[in-house]
Amino acid sequence: MQNDLAHSLSAIAGSDGVLTGEPAAPYCTDWRGRYSGNALAVVFPSHTQQVADIVKLCAAHQITIVPQGGNTSLCGGSVPLALPAGGRQIVLNLSRMNRVRAFDAINYSMTVEAGCKLADVREAAEKNNRLFPLGLTATQKYCEIGGNLSTNAGGINVLRYGNTRDLVLGLEVVLPDGRIWNGLRSLRKDNSGYDLKQLFIGAEGTLGIITAAVLKLFPRPQATATACIAIADPDVAVCLLAHVRANCGDMLSSFEIISRSCLDLVLKHTPDTREPFTGKHEWIIITQLADVMPAPLDGALRNALKSFGSGIIEFDVTGDEDHAERWWKLRKNISEAQKREGISIKHDVSVPVSRVAEFIARADAALRSAFPGIRIVSFGHMGDGNIHYNVSMPDAAQNKTFIANQEIAVNKLVYTVVRELNGSISAEHGLGQLKRDTIRGYKEPLELELMRSIKQTLDPHGLMNPGKVV
Amino acid sequence: MQNDLAHSLSAIAGSDGVLTGEPAAPYCTDWRGRYSGNALAVVFPSHTQQVADIVKLCAAHQITIVPQGGNTSLCGGSVPLALPAGGRQIVLNLSRMNRVRAFDAINYSMTVEAGCKLADVREAAEKNNRLFPLGLTATQKYCEIGGNLSTNAGGINVLRYGNTRDLVLGLEVVLPDGRIWNGLRSLRKDNSGYDLKQLFIGAEGTLGIITAAVLKLFPRPQATATACIAIADPDVAVCLLAHVRANCGDMLSSFEIISRSCLDLVLKHTPDTREPFTGKHEWIIITQLADVMPAPLDGALRNALKSFGSGIIEFDVTGDEDHAERWWKLRKNISEAQKREGISIKHDVSVPVSRVAEFIARADAALRSAFPGIRIVSFGHMGDGNIHYNVSMPDAAQNKTFIANQEIAVNKLVYTVVRELNGSISAEHGLGQLKRDTIRGYKEPLELELMRSIKQTLDPHGLMNPGKVV
């Protein structure tokens, strides 16, 4: 079976476009090493027609398909399930489809293939004096745009530019039966029927394979101003964000919150970092304005902060990007510093922006009461109500037992607060296999039923990324 | 039958909530008087549960439902079909559901019922120092937000803020079987499954009835600058738009193009209007910057225009809103002036922004060659590649014959150019009954098939707004 399949796949994608056995293994494990699966083969098509032919071949033999890009999913969404022997699945990796098909500076759009790396898309835009605003702190260099689209990736500029969904004009998709849907329109307005592309964005490859997209571009900012702000409590951050938005408008492009525990970890594990202020503070905010007008923005940001009144302990503003980068380093190294410190139970949750402080207070209280001595590392995209909320025990040995035994109990406490605040247990990372079962406890049955009916309609034989999302 | 139904509907919506016979007639005709249908009754529910009960009643008796808001559809989307006697359909008008359920200034969001008028939504936002940016020139006072959502309305600020789809955080929908889906989340990030609300936005009531929505709000601009620019050719407008965007960035909130023929009609039919310049020019552009910072913007706009180089014949910039309104009057009265002049064959089309000039040139040439003496009135949202392209014969008697005999031929010529430029034959008005059949000639069969399969999945008995869209 496996040899026959590899042979047929080679006939489509070329003999250098198929891996089996040991060489295929890296594509069957996620980048955190948390999920490992098995696949009959990993195939690397170079063109949309090859993708279509592979899907048709698999459909004819009831072989399931895991679409994969840079394989940076944090939820096990881009690796195959661990199936008993005889599991019939392949990984379809789109990394070879990495061409920029068209660039239209006047239309502020570009057409890219799914395998383009996000960093390369950003760079291609910049070379043409345009901005593609999707910005991910940890994975930008590795992740591919097809994965960003399939997971509706978020990141640090959502406050201003929206999620990936908001950055798409058109899609090309290979459907589960191998037909190619050409929805590569580059229109700003098109009300000529149901907006089918919305189905595939954020579907994590369970409804079809995105092979190319028309992306929206924006004017490239020429000036930035960045502030680092010390506050005592997230309550202040909630009001400060609304105030800065009202005063600085759409120039506000990020608003990140970092707790003391994050800072301590970053300072401990990251070279060339230091406290942003002489005093130690419980919370800091890093916020940035950006504008295409070259005039300095630091004055505007300073005025907005000064007019806020009490609540800010101290702040500093700079229009110098190198200076700002020293602060951003504190934000961008949190994930890495946490990893060095040891494993933790992670949550990627969102609530309405107005309720972020309430979420943190209530979740903290519930956890500290249930697990005395717990360490809570919370930070994130305050501007989008998206908090990365990670917990562990400071003592390494104790932590191991804690995580082995209490993950479910911890999740339940955190997610209960999320539910009470009408939030989401997956803000930006998606469901993948990590939260596929959990979500059933937090979404109403009618919504789950609608999701399943859409899946059934588009992928009646369940061939696309099984065991993920629905 | 009709009496029984009216009785049952009254039991749900109250006896003052049901109309039959003559009083129901205005709700069965569209506002242009182009489409008239018949309905067993028009019902006005006050609450979501009443909507659900009405839908259940209709589902049980195979009575179809036309959801209706302000009834300002330009495509016959909000009125019933003209059916032979015995047609079993009702109009479900949501105008009584006009409450603002919640306002969250900190989260920049508000929760409104479908029957809220767009103008009232905008006003409620403004009172709280927020902006709801959907702006429609002709119908703002009459249309309701449920209709805006169902048609994914566009308008004059799409360039900056997107279409209605981009302004929604959550929806409440009554499904075709009468169940209520509560998707009223107010989250900026939520990747916890398929984004179901996207299905109902822009579906023109064919998949369910939107009863409430959480809308995104924005900081309210404090300063504006407006320019009126004379150019010889749309080619210049295409490059000028990209240039102004690159120089003024996200402050650019509208960019409208108006042809000589529009100006002539407006000056003829609208009191208190005059030529914007001493000379007469073939095309004018009206463009606006807006910013929440109170600093004057006219200097920035003037600099951007000055640095464009040749191509601009003359221009004027003002930071004064009353002055600007004199120019806007030329834009906002085009539809009304056309109506006074007589009927015309209208097109609401879009192409990539970079190809607007090409579209106008090619469509003009094709029409002038086929129909010598034709009058072409083209104007629209240049910033979105959305042109309203209307044609008639200047002589009234000749025009009547022309429209009676040549509408199909004219449409074919225009839509062929649209297709060749990868455009859309319905940019912002939707399909309704007007373009339901036409679209089949301009969309690939696979896309139509996918649309029908979604319709079949969500509305298997075809009860929701039959004869529209699919």
Side-chain angles (χ1 to χ4, degrees):
Chain A
M1 164 69 202
Q2 188 161 11
N3 283 345
D4 286 356
L5 177 70
H7 188 77
S8 304
L9 290 173
S10 296
I12 298 169
S15 56
D16 66 339
V18 181
L19 297 178
T20 56
E22 262 320 294
Y27 299 92
C28 298
T29 299
D30 75 314
W31 83 324
R32 273 187 181 161
R34 197 165 165 169
Y35 294 98
S36 258
N38 48 332
L40 296 172
V42 182
V43 60
F44 299 85
S46 301
H47 297 281
T48 303
Q49 189 57 53
Q50 290 183 357
V51 177
D53 292 343
I54 293 164
V55 172
K56 274 182 196 155
L57 177 74
C58 289
H61 296 88
Q62 290 97 52
I63 294 166
T64 63
I65 299 169
V66 180
Q68 184 180 77
N71 195 15
T72 59
S73 169
L74 296 171
C75 303
S78 55
V79 291
L81 301 178
L83 293 182
R88 292 155 62 86
Q89 56 191 350
I90 66 160
V91 171
L92 191 157
N93 185 297
L94 291 132
S95 303
R96 284 192 181 177
M97 289 187 59
N98 60 359
R99 285 166 289 260
V100 175
R101 289 195 194 161
F103 197 100
D104 185 345
I106 301 273
N107 194 48
Y108 282 75
S109 66
M110 66 192 288
T111 308
V112 300
E113 291 182 342
C116 288
K117 289 199 193 317
L118 172 57
D120 295 340
V121 171
R122 288 177 58 102
E123 200 185 314
E126 227 164 88
K127 272 188 190 152
N128 291 277
N129 199 31
R130 298 291 180 261
L131 171 74
F132 181 65
L134 180 64
L136 306 177
T137 51
T139 59
Q140 201 154 295
K141 283 185 207 158
Y142 315 102
C143 63
E144 296 171 9
I145 194 72
N148 301 145
L149 291 158
S150 294
T151 56
N152 184 30
I156 56 171
N157 296 128
V158 170
L159 169 60
R160 177 164 178 175
Y161 297 102
N163 295 285
T164 304
R165 183 182 301 280
D166 302 299
L167 306 174
V168 186
L169 294 173
L171 287 186
E172 177 187 84
V173 177
V174 173
L175 300 175
D177 60 8
R179 289 186 295 176
I180 301 167
W181 173 54
N182 178 1
L184 283 178
R185 290 184 280 264
S186 50
L187 304 173
R188 304 276 159 176
K189 283 183 179 167
D190 178 18
N191 281 340
S192 61
Y194 303 155
D195 191 359
L196 297 173
K197 67 176 178 292
Q198 304 294 345
L199 286 167
F200 303 101
I201 299 167
E204 302 185 37
T206 62
L207 300 178
I209 301 173
I210 296 172
T211 49
V214 183
L215 304 176
K216 273 189 207 170
L217 303 177
F218 292 81
R220 193 160 74 92
Q222 307 291 334
T224 63
T226 310
C228 188
I229 306 158
I231 55 174
D233 196 277
D235 266 333
V236 175
V238 168
C239 301
L240 180 61
L241 168 60
H243 175 80
V244 175
R245 259 198 106 179
N247 280 275
C248 300
D250 299 336
M251 287 195 302
L252 178 61
S253 52
S254 47
F255 196 98
E256 301 284 310
I257 189 165
I258 305 172
S259 67
R260 181 77 248 159
S261 54
C262 300
L263 280 181
D264 286 343
L265 287 179
V266 171
L267 297 172
K268 177 175 168 190
H269 292 290
T270 317
D272 298 323
T273 52
R274 58 188 174 109
E275 285 284 347
F277 301 102
T278 43
K280 276 193 170 192
H281 303 290
E282 278 308 297
W283 296 87
I284 67 164
I285 301 286
I286 299 175
T287 183
Q288 190 169 58
L289 305 187
D291 194 16
V292 305
M293 310 271 229
L297 296 171
D298 49 326
L301 184 50
R302 198 171 280 117
N303 287 341
L305 297 176
K306 276 184 186 164
S307 65
F308 180 65
S310 67
I312 294 179
I313 302 171
E314 55 180 317
F315 73 87
D316 193 5
V317 173
T318 182
D320 177 70
E321 298 210 354
D322 291 334
H323 189 145
E325 199 49 40
R326 292 216 298 273
W327 294 331
W328 279 115
K329 212 169 170 183
L330 301 173
R331 168 67 184 85
K332 291 178 183 170
N333 282 287
I334 296 174
S335 295
E336 186 59 29
Q338 277 186 100
K339 204 188 285 179
R340 282 169 195 267
E341 182 75 7
I343 47 175
S344 57
I345 305 173
K346 292 170 186 286
H347 308 94
D348 161 43
V349 303
S350 65
V351 294
V353 174
S354 48
R355 308 194 81 174
V356 167
E358 195 179 347
F359 164 74
I360 293 175
R362 285 169 64 171
D364 280 11
L367 287 172
R368 289 195 204 289
S369 154
F371 306 103
I374 198 170
R375 174 166 60 194
I376 301 172
V377 172
S378 53
F379 66 100
H381 315 295
M382 173 83 207
D384 320 312
N386 174 198
I387 300 300
H388 298 303
Y389 189 87
N390 304 332
V391 301
S392 58
M393 286 294 175
D395 174 79
Q398 197 191 354
N399 191 40
K400 214 171 161 188
T401 324
F402 170 69
I403 290 184
N405 299 316
Q406 302 296 350
E407 183 156 9
I408 291 172
V410 166
N411 289 348
K412 196 169 176 189
L413 282 175
V414 174
Y415 292 158
T416 299
V417 178
V418 169
R419 175 161 54 192
E420 286 165 3
L421 299 177
N422 291 316
S424 169
I425 68 162
S426 183
E428 59 174 7
H429 296 166
L431 298 176
Q433 38 183 312
L434 174 65
K435 295 180 185 168
R436 184 204 180 206
D437 292 331
T438 313
I439 193 64
R440 296 175 189 174
Y442 296 90
K443 232 182 226 308
E444 61 171 291
L446 176 56
E447 186 157 339
L448 293 166
E449 183 188 321
L450 287 170
M451 283 169 55
R452 280 191 296 265
S453 70
I454 296 296
K455 170 74 175 174
Q456 176 66 25
T457 300
L458 290 175
D459 182 21
H461 306 297
L463 297 175
M464 301 303 307
N465 215 4
K468 322 288 166 63
V469 187
V470 285
Chain B
M1 164 69 203
Q2 188 161 8
N3 283 345
D4 285 357
L5 177 69
H7 188 78
S8 303
L9 290 173
S10 297
I12 296 169
S15 56
D16 67 340
V18 181
L19 296 178
T20 56
E22 263 319 294
Y27 299 92
C28 297
T29 299
D30 75 315
W31 84 323
R32 274 188 183 163
R34 197 165 165 169
Y35 293 99
S36 259
N38 49 331
L40 297 172
V42 182
V43 59
F44 299 84
S46 302
H47 297 281
T48 304
Q49 189 56 51
Q50 290 183 358
V51 178
D53 291 343
I54 294 164
V55 173
K56 273 182 199 155
L57 176 73
C58 290
H61 295 89
Q62 288 96 54
I63 294 166
T64 64
I65 299 169
V66 180
Q68 185 180 76
N71 195 15
T72 59
S73 170
L74 296 172
C75 303
S78 55
V79 291
L81 301 178
L83 292 182
R88 293 155 61 87
Q89 56 191 350
I90 65 161
V91 172
L92 192 156
N93 184 297
L94 291 132
S95 302
R96 285 192 180 177
M97 290 187 60
N98 62 358
R99 285 165 289 260
V100 175
R101 289 195 193 161
F103 197 100
D104 186 344
I106 301 274
N107 194 47
Y108 282 75
S109 66
M110 67 192 286
T111 308
V112 300
E113 291 182 343
C116 288
K117 289 200 193 317
L118 172 56
D120 294 341
V121 171
R122 288 177 58 102
E123 198 185 314
E126 227 165 87
K127 272 189 191 153
N128 290 276
N129 198 31
R130 297 291 180 261
L131 172 74
F132 181 65
L134 180 62
L136 306 178
T137 51
T139 58
Q140 200 154 294
K141 283 185 205 156
Y142 313 102
C143 64
E144 296 172 9
I145 193 71
N148 301 145
L149 291 158
S150 294
T151 57
N152 184 32
I156 57 171
N157 296 128
V158 170
L159 170 59
R160 177 163 177 176
Y161 296 103
N163 295 285
T164 304
R165 183 182 300 282
D166 302 300
L167 306 175
V168 186
L169 294 173
L171 287 186
E172 177 187 83
V173 178
V174 174
L175 300 175
D177 60 7
R179 289 186 295 175
I180 300 167
W181 172 53
N182 179 0
L184 283 178
R185 290 183 280 263
S186 51
L187 305 173
R188 304 277 158 176
K189 283 183 178 167
D190 177 19
N191 281 340
S192 61
Y194 303 155
D195 191 359
L196 297 173
K197 68 177 178 292
Q198 305 294 345
L199 287 167
F200 303 101
I201 299 168
E204 302 186 37
T206 61
L207 300 178
I209 301 172
I210 295 173
T211 48
V214 183
L215 304 176
K216 273 189 206 171
L217 303 177
F218 292 80
R220 193 160 75 90
Q222 307 291 333
T224 62
T226 310
C228 187
I229 306 158
I231 56 173
D233 196 277
D235 265 333
V236 175
V238 168
C239 300
L240 180 60
L241 167 60
H243 176 80
V244 175
R245 259 197 107 179
N247 280 275
C248 300
D250 299 336
M251 286 196 303
L252 178 61
S253 52
S254 46
F255 196 97
E256 301 284 310
I257 189 166
I258 306 172
S259 67
R260 180 77 249 159
S261 54
C262 300
L263 280 181
D264 287 342
L265 288 179
V266 171
L267 296 173
K268 177 175 168 190
H269 293 290
T270 318
D272 298 323
T273 52
R274 57 187 175 110
E275 286 282 349
F277 300 102
T278 43
K280 276 194 169 192
H281 303 291
E282 279 308 298
W283 296 89
I284 67 163
I285 300 286
I286 299 175
T287 183
Q288 189 169 59
L289 305 187
D291 194 17
V292 305
M293 309 272 230
L297 296 171
D298 49 326
L301 185 49
R302 196 170 282 115
N303 287 342
L305 297 176
K306 276 184 185 162
S307 65
F308 180 64
S310 67
I312 294 179
I313 301 171
E314 54 179 320
F315 72 87
D316 193 7
V317 173
T318 183
D320 176 69
E321 299 211 355
D322 291 334
H323 189 147
E325 199 50 39
R326 292 215 298 274
W327 295 330
W328 279 116
K329 212 170 168 183
L330 301 174
R331 169 66 184 86
K332 290 178 183 170
N333 283 288
I334 296 174
S335 295
E336 186 59 28
Q338 277 185 101
K339 206 188 284 180
R340 282 170 194 268
E341 182 74 8
I343 48 173
S344 58
I345 305 172
K346 292 172 186 283
H347 308 95
D348 161 44
V349 303
S350 65
V351 294
V353 174
S354 48
R355 308 194 82 173
V356 166
E358 195 179 347
F359 164 74
I360 292 174
R362 286 170 64 171
D364 281 11
L367 286 173
R368 290 196 203 287
S369 154
F371 306 103
I374 199 170
R375 175 166 60 195
I376 301 172
V377 172
S378 54
F379 65 100
H381 314 295
M382 174 82 208
D384 320 312
N386 175 196
I387 300 301
H388 298 303
Y389 189 86
N390 305 333
V391 301
S392 58
M393 286 294 175
D395 174 77
Q398 195 191 357
N399 191 41
K400 216 173 159 186
T401 324
F402 171 69
I403 290 186
N405 299 315
Q406 301 296 350
E407 182 155 9
I408 291 172
V410 166
N411 289 348
K412 197 170 174 189
L413 282 175
V414 174
Y415 292 158
T416 298
V417 179
V418 169
R419 175 163 53 192
E420 286 166 4
L421 299 177
N422 290 316
S424 168
I425 68 161
S426 183
E428 59 175 7
H429 296 166
L431 298 177
Q433 39 184 312
L434 174 66
K435 295 181 185 168
R436 183 207 182 205
D437 292 331
T438 313
I439 192 64
R440 295 174 192 176
Y442 296 90
K443 232 183 226 306
E444 60 171 294
L446 176 55
E447 186 157 340
L448 293 166
E449 182 188 322
L450 286 170
M451 281 169 57
R452 281 192 294 266
S453 70
I454 296 296
K455 170 76 173 173
Q456 175 66 26
T457 301
L458 290 175
D459 182 23
H461 306 297
L463 297 176
M464 302 303 307
N465 215 4
K468 322 290 167 60
V469 187
V470 283

